[in-house]
Amino acid sequence: MSEMTLSEAFKSPATHARTSREICQHYALRALAALLLVVCFVSLAVGPTEVSVSHIFGAIDYWLLGDETALSLRDKVVLMDIRMPRTLLGCLVGASLAASGAMMQGLFRNPLADPGLVGVSSGAGLAAVCVITLSSGLPAWFLDGYYVYLLPWGAFIGGAATTALLYKVATRRGQTSIATMLLAGIALGALAGAVTGFLVFGSTDEELRDLTFWGMGGLGSSTWPRVWSTLPFALAVLISLPFIAKGLNAFLLGEAEAFHLGFNTQHLKRLIIILVAGATGASVAAAGAIGFVGIVVPHVLRLVIGPDHRFLLPSCALLGASLLVAADVVARTVVAPAELPIGIITAVIGAPVFLSILLGRKNQVQL
């Protein structure tokens, strides 16, 4: 028997199982990446104006290489000014929300944790509404040049303040209570909703219409400046995923166990809170309040590929981006020429899944 054969012979069944799971996880990542490419291609092709495959590749050449001869003026307007920023913004928002949900669930060791459920989205939304309704008093030159960046930064501050307050309320003597976190999140979300309602009550009819549709979520107002203002927050989350995955795996054993394994738990918690607040705030500012993406995507993928955050986090980012872009395609085609808010579609998908989670854990959740 050769050396390689002898080594294989002494491998335990558990080792074979782990190897098989890792192979499946790698294939799942590749499949999700392929799915995202297909969904983005469909998003660029589908719409009231017919666009051929060659025109889409021409738009990609124009975007990446600056080849203006590959694109007609009509296709340049349709693809480069409307569909391309809309598709990219959907990718950034979906990836940010799903990855943020997976990080919060790993941090709190609870699949019910979600930026929307624990009030982070409501805090970011309140700050965004404040910017929308109160910015009319700012100088015109400031609004023309910096309003598009003021909105995501305002939402980031609102989300960060809500997250910090939530964490402070739920933590006693270094221990975070999941039940307290959920109840405090519900209370903070309700408070933010009440203040938001007060601001909406004093808005003009035009502002009221804009705020109503913004609150239900959508990518209809996607522009390149909005993409650039969201990009830094999304990139911060995506680049950080490989560095925090091992720490979140250690958190699965418990915070004390993670500390004894050599992880700086306090630093890791602060980093995750900042990343989640930034990504959620920028997403809410760019696309409104879109629920359930952060709770449905991590839960489904955890059932399929397991809890290893080295694979779970990037898988969530890929599937979250695919889900939101696909939901946007449905939103702008199912009742064309009108457009459904994306929040309605994600709620129709996410609410049954969320109820199934609650029913499956009814013997474990004690509030």
Side-chain angles (χ1 to χ4, degrees):
M1 184 177 291
S2 66
E3 182 179 351
M4 180 62 70
T5 306
L6 186 63
S7 173
E8 291 291 332
F10 277 99
K11 281 186 176 179
S12 67
T15 303
H16 283 292
R18 286 197 297 271
T19 303
S20 300
R21 165 157 285 192
E22 288 183 355
I23 292 173
C24 292
Q25 289 166 334
H26 281 291
Y27 276 115
L29 274 176
R30 294 170 187 171
L32 290 171
L35 174 65
L36 178 58
L37 288 177
V38 171
V39 171
C40 288
F41 195 85
V42 172
S43 176
L44 293 174
V46 172
T49 302
E50 184 178 353
V51 175
S52 66
V53 175
S54 61
H55 291 160
I56 294 176
F57 284 112
I60 295 174
D61 282 342
Y62 174 77
W63 189 48
L64 296 178
L65 306 175
D67 184 10
E68 297 185 4
T69 60
L71 205 62
S72 67
L73 178 61
R74 187 206 68 158
D75 294 332
K76 181 181 177 183
V77 172
V78 172
L79 289 173
M80 298 305 301
D81 296 342
I82 300 175
R83 295 186 190 173
M84 188 77 80
R86 185 166 186 151
T87 302
L88 289 176
L89 190 62
C91 290
L92 295 177
V93 172
S96 298
L97 292 177
S100 297
M103 286 192 292
M104 290 204 70
Q105 291 171 15
L107 177 64
F108 291 107
R109 302 190 298 282
N110 192 302
L112 298 179
D114 166 69
L117 183 65
V118 297
V120 179
S121 297
S122 299
L126 171 60
V129 170
C130 289
V131 172
I132 293 172
T133 56
L134 304 178
S135 60
S136 58
L138 297 174
W141 63 267
F142 183 84
L143 294 177
D144 292 340
Y146 301 102
Y147 179 77
V148 68
Y149 303 103
L150 182 66
L151 196 58
W153 275 104
F156 164 69
I157 294 173
T162 306
T163 307
L165 182 58
L166 174 70
Y167 187 76
K168 185 72 175 176
V169 171
T171 303
R172 288 287 185 278
R173 299 176 181 175
Q175 299 296 321
T176 302
S177 169
I178 300 301
T180 305
M181 177 199 71
L182 292 175
L183 291 173
I186 293 172
L188 291 175
L191 180 61
V195 179
T196 301
F198 178 78
L199 292 173
V200 171
F201 180 76
S203 303
T204 63
D205 290 342
E206 184 178 356
E207 290 175 341
L208 182 60
R209 177 180 171 81
D210 292 340
L211 288 171
T212 300
F213 280 97
W214 174 84
M216 290 188 288
L219 298 173
S221 58
S222 301
T223 58
W224 284 112
R226 188 156 293 189
V227 173
W228 303 137
S229 64
T230 309
L231 185 63
F233 298 98
L235 280 183
V237 169
L238 298 178
I239 293 174
S240 303
L241 295 182
F243 302 101
I244 63 176
K246 291 184 179 179
L248 286 177
N249 281 345
F251 261 79
L252 293 176
L253 303 173
E255 185 173 339
E257 287 78 3
F259 176 78
H260 290 299
L261 286 173
F263 291 96
N264 187 334
T265 55
Q266 292 300 325
H267 175 72
L268 181 62
K269 286 189 288 187
R270 291 193 194 99
L271 176 62
I272 291 175
I273 287 172
I274 292 172
L275 290 173
V276 169
T280 304
S283 299
V284 170
I290 299 175
F292 294 106
V293 175
I295 191 169
V296 171
V297 172
H299 182 70
V300 170
L301 286 175
R302 193 176 289 106
L303 293 176
V304 175
I305 66 173
D308 188 343
H309 288 88
R310 294 176 301 163
F311 299 96
L312 180 63
L313 293 178
S315 298
C316 286
L318 290 171
L319 185 59
S322 300
L323 175 64
L324 203 67
V325 174
D328 179 57
V329 172
V330 174
R332 57 189 164 92
T333 56
V334 69
V335 292
E339 185 174 314
L340 276 177
I342 293 181
I344 295 177
I345 298 173
T346 57
V348 168
I349 298 172
V353 177
F354 184 66
L355 286 174
S356 71
I357 297 173
L358 289 177
L359 292 174
R361 292 174 55 86
K362 63 182 180 181
N363 295 325
Q364 302 176 36
V365 178
Q366 297 178 356
L367 298 179

